[in-house]
Amino acid sequence: MGERFVVVPVDRGVAVAGVGAHSDAVVSDPALDSVVEEKEAGEDSVCEPQEDPNAVVPILKYNREPNKYGDGVPKENSPFINNTDNDKGINYDGTNMALFEDEIESNPMVSSLLNKLANYTNLTQGAQEHEEADNDEGPKKKEVKSPQMGTFMGVYLPCLQNILGVILFLRLTWIVGTAGILESLAIVCLCCSCTMLTAISMSAIATNGVVPAGGSYYMISRSLGPEFGGAVGLCFYLGTTFAGSMYILGTIEILLTYIVPKAAIFVAEKKEDEVNALLNNMRVYGTCCLALMAVVVFVGVKYVNKLALVFLACVILSILAIYAGVIKTIFEPPDFPLCMLGNRTLENQNFDSCLKTKVIDNLTVTTKLWNLFCDGPELNATCNDYFVLNNVTEVQGIPGLTSKVISENMWSVYGPLGKLVDDPKLASVGGDASAQDKYLPYVVNDITTFFTLMVGIYFPSVTGIMAGSNRSGDLRDAQKSIPIGTILAIATTTFIYVTCVVLFGACIEGVLLRDKFGDAVKGNLVIGTLSWPSPWVIVIGSFFSCCGAGLQSLTGAPRLLQAIARDGIVPFLQVFGHGKANGEPTWALLLTAGICEIGILIASLDAVAPILSMFFLMCYLFVNLACALQTLLRTPNWRPRFKYYHWALSFLGMSLCLALMFICSWYYAIVAMAIATIIYKYIEYRGAEKEWGDGIRGLSLNAARYALIRLEEAPPHTKNWRPQLLVLLNLDSDQGVKHPRLLSLTTQMKAGKGLTIVGTVLEGTYLTKDTESRKAEQNIKSAMSEERTKGFCHVVVSSNLRDGVSHLIQSAGLGGMKHNTVLMAWPGIWRQANDPQSWKNFIETVRESTAAHHALLVAKNVDSFPTNRDRLGEGTIDVWWVVHDGGMLMLLPFLLRQHKVWRKCKMRIFTVAQMDDNSIQMKKDLQMFLYHLRLNAEVEVVEMHDNDISAFTYEKTLVMEQRSQMLKQMQLSRTEREREIQSITDESRNSIRRKNQGAAPSTNRSRPPSTAEDTQEDEAQLIHDRNTASHAAINDKAEAGTDRVHMTWTKDKLFMERNRNRECNASVAVCDLFNMKPNQSNVRRMHTAVKLNEVVVNKSQGAQLVLLNMPGPPTNRGGDENYMEFLEALLEGLNRVLLVRGCGREVITIYS
């Protein structure tokens, strides 16, 4: 929809250029007739002169900032996955309606949002961009083209190419011959079912929104969180890397075994050395091949992409050649005879005829076969017993589809290492083979074979189903193409594998199927002997197929590692996120080549295959888990377009993956899980925090909700009671934590167990203190992290501190997970504070904690408490058990001694005996009580007799009360005095006016309005009234009902009277202070505090920590300040003190 803009000149002779998004001063008015020439966005626009060039025209200026959905990196909080820095200069078309124009930065118009979404493109940050960057030589970048790949080219063929590969050509015939047709079909169905179920789960995840570059890693990490995502992503990377090793080993095996056997560097002189020679050749040639492929990938990945179709064509042609060869066997089976000695298969490489002797010119001569089993060419030479007793026969290796060989290949033929490959239907004389027979030219097993080994070797042939999801950015409609293409590719390859298993078993002789390297057919590839028109079609096709697959692995694995590194979830991998200027992952490629070299040094295809099977199976397991979890949790964002999924299928696929891991190799499975667990814990401990809306978080929320509902049912039993702390922190002017040692004490007391809520209060309103609130929360979280305090932070903004603390005590926590203990610091400067609210807030917090039935812990001199890094040596934790309040005093030292800071401290318990108490019996009873509580502590009973009150105590009480009285008289602030005077002034004025109106109504009617002099007279009257009342109170001469005296006051007399009144009041107050006597109740309380302090200081001054019962505040709020003085007297001379006030219930029990 087009817009018409009128560009208005700001100054005469100055034109404003730019229309559309580049114009800052425009007026949009489609109804105006005098419109300047319309321009497209980006063109220059020159204003025509107006009729009145001097007229001032108001300018409507919109500051249209770009929508802040992303920060330059594709994030999940943006609807545009490919939102980059380039988008930040693109503004939304149009503006919001006037009602919403203040919110344009955060809430664009719907039409603008839809327009942005409609123009969305998502190209993978992979090979295509690198290729374009290499070709980009001009100052301008190439125009990004929208993805055009469909289902067939974008998903189906890449999956087909990745699934079909080295195992099909090199090992499938051997698996069929060893495991038999039935078990081979079971292996194929088991593995293909696993990948099909995984593909269904993957399709659901892939169609639940856009999947950018990263493929399976992206899906798993965003579904299961950064910990699982990083662990499984790295496992998938290792699997892809070892797959590269397997493909390179397959390439070298084809090269040295079937194409140029004479190129071998290490040649075995004896048959027993052949295995080692082959492995050494694989290592040398494999390393060279790896280096060559790495250079190709480094130089330009575009060459790999261009050759992909060639490699795919080789795979398809090879498979077609196999089917053509099978059909040809019906009419004309190929001639590949097998030489059998008795029922044993011979290696047909060092002899040309399958005969012991032959007749030449009527002479019987021995053949090369004779020389292999005898110690000379003579007819009377000493020969192997089995060779002498059994005849040599030729058997057709490929009898054809119409033969009945399929019935012989139905069952498995497993055997140990070195077992001879024999045909049980042929006659044999001489029975069991000796240990030395395997070094004769027989075909033997090179490894011990069993069912689970076959599964591990075969499974890599069904991997590669993620190829479509990895290319999601290149697809025209990824959410449609990925499910259809992937599932069709798996169905196609499953059909190919099933038919190949049946056709191989129906066409090829069993002994030839079990001949892994084709030694019985003169070193030909077994599957090649079946193909048409020539075995070389399969050999060349499989060679290029393995080369292409190896290059694809070396191309994809570094990019996967780069995606993980750029996510920043694994700190030590961040260096691998960098590369060349065009983004090519150079460092990741080097690491990939290094890991790939490890697989090549293993050198055995059969040993490497189970390793990568583990990593792929683990990846598939978590894809199924992610789908099942999202389905069961029913998260609002779980809306996949692919509807043919179910959580039961995902769980079945997950179980199948787990079973296959242990079927393939239980020890490899344990190692793979250990690697994944280590990575998971490392990311959890050191990794960056990411919030990706993953399913594990949703699972945690559901579990937390369930647990909270269960906790709500009943209060915790005494055995399960532990302090759930609400820590009240004070902040400085910069919102920093004043007493971080309070968090240290929390950590030492909790040791990560239970609930900890760290709260603070900011004074003001939330609208004005929003920034300070966020800053305070961030500072508290940083302090908690530094002190290793595990818990939650809660910042409350309130009109005053008292209400804020009250709100925290009442509302912190949720359901059954609420605090039961309040921890706070002692207000150390309450005497010096000008504002009495500091200690009043403290006392009110004590009262509210008691009213809420919460325990209270008050730490005095908290800054002297040990940090988490300190280690206290010899010392004691002294508990002064004066009154019983539920056992908190017993429980807290036990909890503290669990932490390494207090572990070496001993526990001592002191209790106080009165005059009538039996201290000896008290000690015995307390020792028995501690024995039943299973607590180790020294016990001491301190006797406190009722001594006379000392003069010091009397004087201390008197000073306390005098100070309190003086503060009360000075308590009214200026604002409060003015408010009181104003109220009295208003009342007196009304009284005077009422009296005047009653005395002279006629005069008032004729009198003009009051002036400033009248006001002064009113104030003078007021002062006189107040002074009269004051003098009457002082001299006790007030007379009830005396008429008020009306006098005329001058201004000077008014000020003199005010000053005299103040001096008189002050002198009276001072006289009262010197004549007052202390309250007897306060004297007794001070006496108790002083005497108890003397005993505590005498016994525990050297203790590392003193725990003491905290007396409750007075019921009469008038004695609050005296309460603070009592506590000061009680704690005087002690360093580290923790005042403890119980919650009104038992928190420790003697029962199990």
Side-chain angles (χ1 to χ4, degrees):
M1 179 177 178
E3 289 189 13
R4 304 169 69 193
F5 296 103
V6 179
V7 183
V8 182
V10 178
D11 194 7
R12 186 176 182 180
V14 179
V16 182
V19 180
H22 302 284
S23 175
D24 288 328
V26 297
V27 176
S28 175
D29 188 359
L32 291 176
D33 295 330
S34 57
V35 183
V36 295
E37 182 182 0
E38 295 180 11
K39 297 286 183 181
E40 295 294 328
E43 296 182 5
D44 294 333
S45 173
V46 182
C47 295
E48 297 180 0
Q50 307 292 322
E51 293 180 1
D52 186 4
N54 296 322
V56 179
V57 181
I59 296 175
L60 179 61
K61 182 176 181 181
Y62 288 101
N63 183 18
R64 308 205 303 192
E65 295 284 340
N67 186 52
K68 296 185 175 53
Y69 275 109
D71 56 358
V73 181
K75 296 288 180 71
E76 293 69 50
N77 58 353
S78 168
F80 320 120
I81 302 301
N82 64 337
N83 186 28
T84 61
D85 290 334
N86 297 331
D87 297 332
K88 292 190 175 183
I90 302 174
N91 296 323
Y92 288 104
D93 296 331
T95 60
N96 280 21
M97 293 181 290
L99 185 61
F100 303 100
E101 63 185 9
D102 292 337
E103 303 175 348
I104 189 169
E105 293 186 4
S106 58
N107 302 328
M109 288 179 65
V110 174
S111 58
S112 303
L113 179 66
L114 294 176
N115 183 48
K116 180 80 172 180
L117 284 170
N119 296 328
Y120 161 74
T121 59
N122 177 28
L123 294 177
T124 54
Q125 305 297 316
Q128 189 164 346
E129 280 74 5
H130 300 318
E131 182 178 342
E132 290 174 357
D134 289 338
N135 296 333
D136 186 13
E137 297 177 356
K140 295 183 179 180
K141 289 187 177 181
K142 284 188 174 184
E143 182 181 356
V144 179
K145 297 180 180 179
S146 60
Q148 295 297 327
M149 280 192 174
T151 303
F152 185 76
M153 290 296 296
V155 180
Y156 180 75
L157 289 182
C159 285
L160 215 61
Q161 179 185 0
N162 281 267
I163 294 173
L164 300 172
V166 60
I167 300 297
L168 170 65
F169 299 121
L170 295 184
R171 292 293 182 269
L172 189 57
T173 53
W174 175 70
I175 291 174
V176 173
T178 305
I181 295 176
L182 293 179
E183 291 187 20
S184 298
L185 287 175
I187 294 172
V188 171
C189 292
L190 196 65
C191 296
C192 291
S193 298
C194 176
T195 55
M196 180 62 80
L197 293 172
T198 304
I200 292 172
S201 300
M202 184 198 70
S203 299
I205 298 174
T207 57
N208 186 52
V210 180
V211 179
S216 58
Y217 160 70
Y218 182 92
M219 289 189 294
I220 295 170
S221 62
R222 269 56 176 182
S223 297
L224 295 180
E227 293 87 2
F228 277 111
V232 180
L234 286 176
C235 286
F236 190 54
Y237 162 74
L238 291 174
T240 307
T241 305
F242 276 104
S245 301
M246 185 186 72
Y247 292 130
I248 292 174
L249 290 175
T251 302
I252 302 305
E253 183 176 315
I254 294 171
L255 179 69
L256 294 181
T257 307
Y258 307 114
I259 299 178
V260 280
K262 295 182 179 179
I265 299 175
F266 300 93
V267 180
E269 297 180 357
K270 299 179 180 179
K271 185 176 179 181
E272 51 264 33
D273 299 330
E274 286 180 355
V275 175
N276 292 330
L278 177 62
L279 294 180
N280 289 331
N281 285 320
M282 298 279 277
R283 293 184 180 106
V284 173
Y285 277 96
T287 303
C288 297
C289 183
L290 172 63
L292 181 63
M293 288 185 176
V295 170
V296 171
V297 173
F298 177 78
V299 169
V301 74
K302 57 184 178 181
Y303 302 113
V304 179
N305 293 333
K306 290 178 179 178
L307 290 173
L309 283 177
V310 176
F311 299 142
L312 177 60
C314 292
V315 174
I316 295 175
L317 287 176
S318 299
I319 293 173
L320 292 177
I322 293 171
Y323 284 112
V326 169
I327 295 173
K328 184 176 178 295
T329 60
I330 301 174
F331 312 104
E332 184 182 353
D335 183 25
F336 284 98
L338 304 177
C339 189
M340 308 292 295
L341 178 62
N343 62 356
R344 301 177 183 178
T345 310
L346 297 177
E347 292 183 349
N348 191 1
Q349 291 183 344
N350 296 321
F351 58 91
D352 50 1
S353 59
C354 186
L355 296 171
K356 291 183 180 180
T357 59
K358 58 183 178 180
V359 177
I360 301 177
D361 297 333
N362 295 325
L363 293 176
T364 301
V365 296
T366 58
T367 61
K368 293 181 179 180
L369 180 61
W370 179 281
N371 295 331
L372 295 175
F373 287 90
C374 301
D375 55 5
E378 298 82 9
L379 291 175
N380 59 354
T382 304
C383 297
N384 178 267
D385 294 338
Y386 190 85
F387 180 77
V388 173
L389 295 175
N390 291 274
N391 294 324
V392 177
T393 56
E394 274 192 355
V395 176
Q396 191 56 249
I398 303 177
L401 194 61
T402 55
S403 66
K404 297 181 180 180
V405 72
I406 187 171
S407 60
E408 301 170 4
N409 294 329
M410 279 289 180
W411 313 108
S412 60
V413 185
Y414 299 118
L417 172 67
K419 180 179 181 296
L420 304 182
V421 176
D422 54 12
D423 188 351
K425 69 177 183 292
L426 296 179
S428 175
V429 180
D432 298 334
S434 64
Q436 296 299 319
D437 285 349
K438 62 181 180 181
Y439 299 126
L440 294 173
Y442 294 121
V443 178
V444 298
N445 288 346
D446 63 332
I447 58 173
T448 302
T449 55
F450 42 90
F451 177 78
T452 57
L453 175 70
M454 299 296 144
V455 177
I457 293 175
Y458 173 77
F459 188 81
S461 66
V462 298
T463 59
I465 61 173
M466 300 289 186
S469 63
N470 291 342
R471 295 169 175 249
S472 58
D474 300 325
L475 303 175
R476 190 184 307 115
D477 186 357
Q479 296 191 1
K480 177 182 176 183
S481 298
I482 289 177
I484 297 175
T486 305
I487 292 174
L488 281 180
I490 294 176
T492 304
T493 52
T494 302
F495 172 79
I496 292 173
Y497 284 130
V498 169
T499 54
C500 283
V501 166
V502 175
L503 294 176
F504 291 165
C507 295
I508 304 176
E509 189 67 43
V511 289
L512 181 56
L513 287 173
R514 293 191 292 278
D515 184 4
K516 184 185 292 186
F517 301 107
D519 293 326
V521 286
K522 297 185 177 180
N524 279 303
L525 183 62
V526 175
I527 197 174
T529 59
L530 183 62
S531 64
W532 180 86
S534 168
W536 285 102
V537 174
I538 296 290
V539 172
I540 301 300
S542 59
F543 177 79
F544 282 112
S545 171
C546 293
C547 284
L551 285 171
Q552 292 286 353
S553 297
L554 289 179
T555 303
R559 281 164 181 75
L560 177 59
L561 181 63
Q562 188 181 45
I564 299 172
R566 285 182 173 176
D567 262 346
I569 57 175
V570 186
F572 70 85
L573 290 180
Q574 290 189 3
V575 65
F576 299 107
H578 308 291
K580 293 197 297 186
N582 63 349
E584 192 75 22
T586 307
W587 296 109
L589 178 61
L590 288 176
L591 180 65
T592 302
I595 298 174
C596 199
E597 177 65 18
I598 296 175
I600 288 174
L601 292 178
I602 296 175
S604 172
L605 185 70
D606 302 325
V608 173
I611 297 176
L612 65 98
S613 296
M614 291 302 109
F615 294 122
F616 278 121
L617 279 167
M618 183 168 291
C619 177
Y620 296 164
L621 183 148
F622 282 101
V623 169
N624 285 294
L625 175 62
C627 181
L629 205 59
Q630 298 275 30
T631 306
L632 288 175
L633 292 178
R634 298 178 182 176
T635 52
N637 193 51
W638 180 246
R639 303 184 301 274
R641 292 188 178 276
F642 181 76
K643 301 299 181 184
Y644 305 101
Y645 69 94
H646 194 271
W647 65 266
L649 293 177
S650 299
F651 266 116
L652 180 60
M654 184 180 68
S655 304
L656 204 54
C657 289
L658 187 63
L660 282 173
M661 287 179 67
F662 284 91
I663 287 173
C664 294
S665 175
W666 63 268
Y667 44 90
Y668 280 159
I670 292 175
V671 170
M673 288 182 169
I675 292 173
T677 303
I678 291 171
I679 298 171
Y680 178 94
K681 298 304 291 184
Y682 175 81
I683 296 174
E684 186 181 48
Y685 179 67
R686 292 291 304 276
E689 293 184 3
K690 299 284 183 180
E691 175 50 54
W692 287 332
D694 50 88
I696 293 297
R697 184 174 178 82
L699 182 63
S700 301
L701 287 173
N702 275 274
R705 181 188 64 85
Y706 176 77
L708 285 173
I709 292 174
R710 292 292 302 273
L711 283 174
E712 193 77 23
E713 294 177 358
H717 192 271
T718 303
K719 291 185 290 186
N720 296 326
W721 195 96
R722 66 167 59 244
Q724 317 288 3
L725 292 179
L726 170 62
V727 185
L728 298 178
L729 289 181
N730 293 326
L731 304 181
D732 55 24
S733 58
D734 294 331
Q735 313 304 332
V737 178
K738 276 188 178 180
H739 304 295
R741 297 289 177 89
L742 206 59
L743 296 175
S744 302
L745 177 61
T746 303
T747 303
Q748 295 157 21
M749 196 181 305
K750 300 288 292 181
K753 303 295 189 298
L755 175 69
T756 300
I757 302 174
V758 181
T760 191
V761 179
L762 299 181
E763 198 167 3
T765 62
Y766 186 71
L767 293 178
T768 58
K769 293 286 185 178
D770 180 35
T771 304
E772 289 87 340
S773 173
R774 286 199 297 269
K775 182 180 178 183
E777 184 174 358
Q778 188 61 40
N779 291 343
I780 292 175
K781 286 182 178 179
S782 299
M784 291 173 66
S785 176
E786 186 176 346
E787 300 296 336
R788 298 179 182 177
T789 304
K790 297 180 180 179
F792 307 98
C793 176
H794 196 175
V795 178
V796 171
V797 181
S798 180
S799 58
N800 58 75
L801 295 177
R802 175 69 253 121
D803 291 344
V805 173
S806 177
H807 295 158
L808 273 176
I809 292 176
Q810 293 178 59
S811 61
L814 180 65
M817 284 296 286
K818 293 182 70 71
H819 61 279
N820 55 28
T821 305
V822 178
L823 173 63
M824 60 191 302
W826 171 262
I829 58 172
W830 68 274
R831 282 176 173 166
Q832 292 79 20
N834 296 325
D835 185 9
Q837 287 300 117
S838 61
W839 54 266
K840 286 186 176 181
N841 288 342
F842 172 79
I843 297 176
E844 289 301 311
T845 303
V846 176
R847 286 196 175 102
E848 292 194 356
S849 300
T850 304
H853 302 290
H854 292 160
L856 179 66
L857 308 177
V858 179
K860 187 182 179 187
N861 299 328
V862 68
D863 292 330
S864 67
F865 276 60
T867 66
N868 293 324
R869 290 175 290 276
D870 295 337
R871 300 292 181 269
L872 299 179
E874 296 298 325
T876 60
I877 300 176
D878 287 358
V879 178
W880 284 85
W881 192 20
V882 181
V883 295
H884 179 62
D885 57 356
M888 278 284 289
L889 285 169
M890 309 291 181
L891 185 62
L892 290 176
F894 170 77
L895 295 176
L896 284 173
R897 293 180 67 228
Q898 305 303 307
H899 197 274
K900 49 192 172 185
V901 173
W902 304 91
R903 188 165 294 159
K904 294 184 179 180
C905 294
K906 295 180 180 179
M907 180 177 170
R908 296 193 302 177
I909 296 182
F910 297 89
T911 188
V912 177
Q914 300 293 328
M915 178 67 71
D916 299 333
D917 296 330
N918 184 345
S919 58
I920 298 176
Q921 187 62 38
M922 282 182 63
K923 184 173 183 179
K924 290 181 179 179
D925 293 342
L926 183 55
Q927 287 175 337
M928 181 60 65
F929 181 59
L930 291 177
Y931 174 78
H932 288 302
L933 288 177
R934 291 90 65 199
L935 295 176
N936 296 321
E938 298 179 10
V939 175
E940 186 171 343
V941 178
V942 178
E943 295 182 353
M944 286 184 61
H945 302 297
D946 291 335
N947 298 331
D948 294 334
I949 297 174
S950 64
F952 169 76
T953 303
Y954 190 88
E955 184 68 23
K956 192 176 183 69
T957 310
L958 180 61
V959 171
M960 174 190 74
E961 292 193 354
Q962 287 176 347
R963 181 178 181 274
S964 176
Q965 187 67 24
M966 187 178 296
L967 286 175
K968 285 180 181 177
Q969 293 179 0
M970 300 171 61
Q971 188 171 343
L972 287 178
S973 64
R974 179 185 176 191
T975 305
E976 291 171 333
R977 288 200 303 270
E978 290 177 353
R979 188 181 300 115
E980 182 178 344
I981 291 173
Q982 183 64 37
S983 63
I984 298 175
T985 301
D986 295 340
E987 183 180 354
S988 298
R989 282 176 181 169
N990 294 334
S991 175
I992 292 171
R993 286 170 182 167
R994 283 195 301 270
K995 184 176 292 187
N996 291 338
Q997 288 174 359
S1002 60
T1003 306
N1004 290 340
R1005 282 197 296 269
S1006 61
R1007 189 173 177 179
S1010 61
T1011 61
E1013 295 178 359
D1014 299 332
T1015 305
Q1016 286 186 354
E1017 290 181 6
D1018 291 344
E1019 291 181 1
Q1021 179 66 45
L1022 170 64
I1023 296 297
H1024 173 73
D1025 294 343
R1026 293 185 62 193
N1027 288 340
T1028 302
S1030 178
H1031 288 307
I1034 296 172
N1035 300 319
D1036 295 325
K1037 295 179 181 180
E1039 296 180 2
T1042 304
D1043 293 336
R1044 184 172 290 143
V1045 180
H1046 295 274
M1047 301 177 64
T1048 302
W1049 294 76
T1050 63
K1051 189 173 183 180
D1052 295 336
K1053 192 172 182 179
L1054 173 65
F1055 289 131
M1056 290 174 60
E1057 185 66 20
R1058 280 180 178 172
N1059 294 333
R1060 189 175 67 81
N1061 181 37
R1062 290 172 183 170
E1063 291 173 1
C1064 182
N1065 290 339
S1067 62
V1068 171
V1070 171
C1071 292
D1072 290 342
L1073 285 176
F1074 282 107
N1075 294 331
M1076 68 183 299
K1077 295 182 179 180
N1079 184 286
Q1080 291 301 314
S1081 176
N1082 289 340
V1083 172
R1084 290 196 306 273
R1085 287 187 173 89
M1086 183 63 74
H1087 174 69
T1088 303
V1090 171
K1091 296 300 292 181
L1092 186 58
N1093 174 259
E1094 290 177 359
V1095 175
V1096 174
V1097 170
N1098 182 37
K1099 296 287 186 179
S1100 302
Q1101 193 167 20
Q1104 298 287 6
L1105 179 64
V1106 176
L1107 282 82
L1108 188 63
N1109 283 117
M1110 182 179 184
T1115 55
N1116 180 15
R1117 297 180 187 271
D1120 284 355
E1121 188 181 5
N1122 297 338
Y1123 173 69
M1124 298 295 292
E1125 292 285 356
F1126 296 147
L1127 292 181
E1128 281 285 3
L1130 180 63
L1131 304 178
E1132 187 176 358
L1134 298 174
N1135 183 22
R1136 297 176 188 150
V1137 184
L1138 192 63
L1139 290 173
V1140 181
R1141 185 163 175 78
C1143 59
R1145 59 163 294 176
E1146 294 293 330
V1147 300
I1148 193 168
T1149 178
I1150 64 174
Y1151 299 103
S1152 61

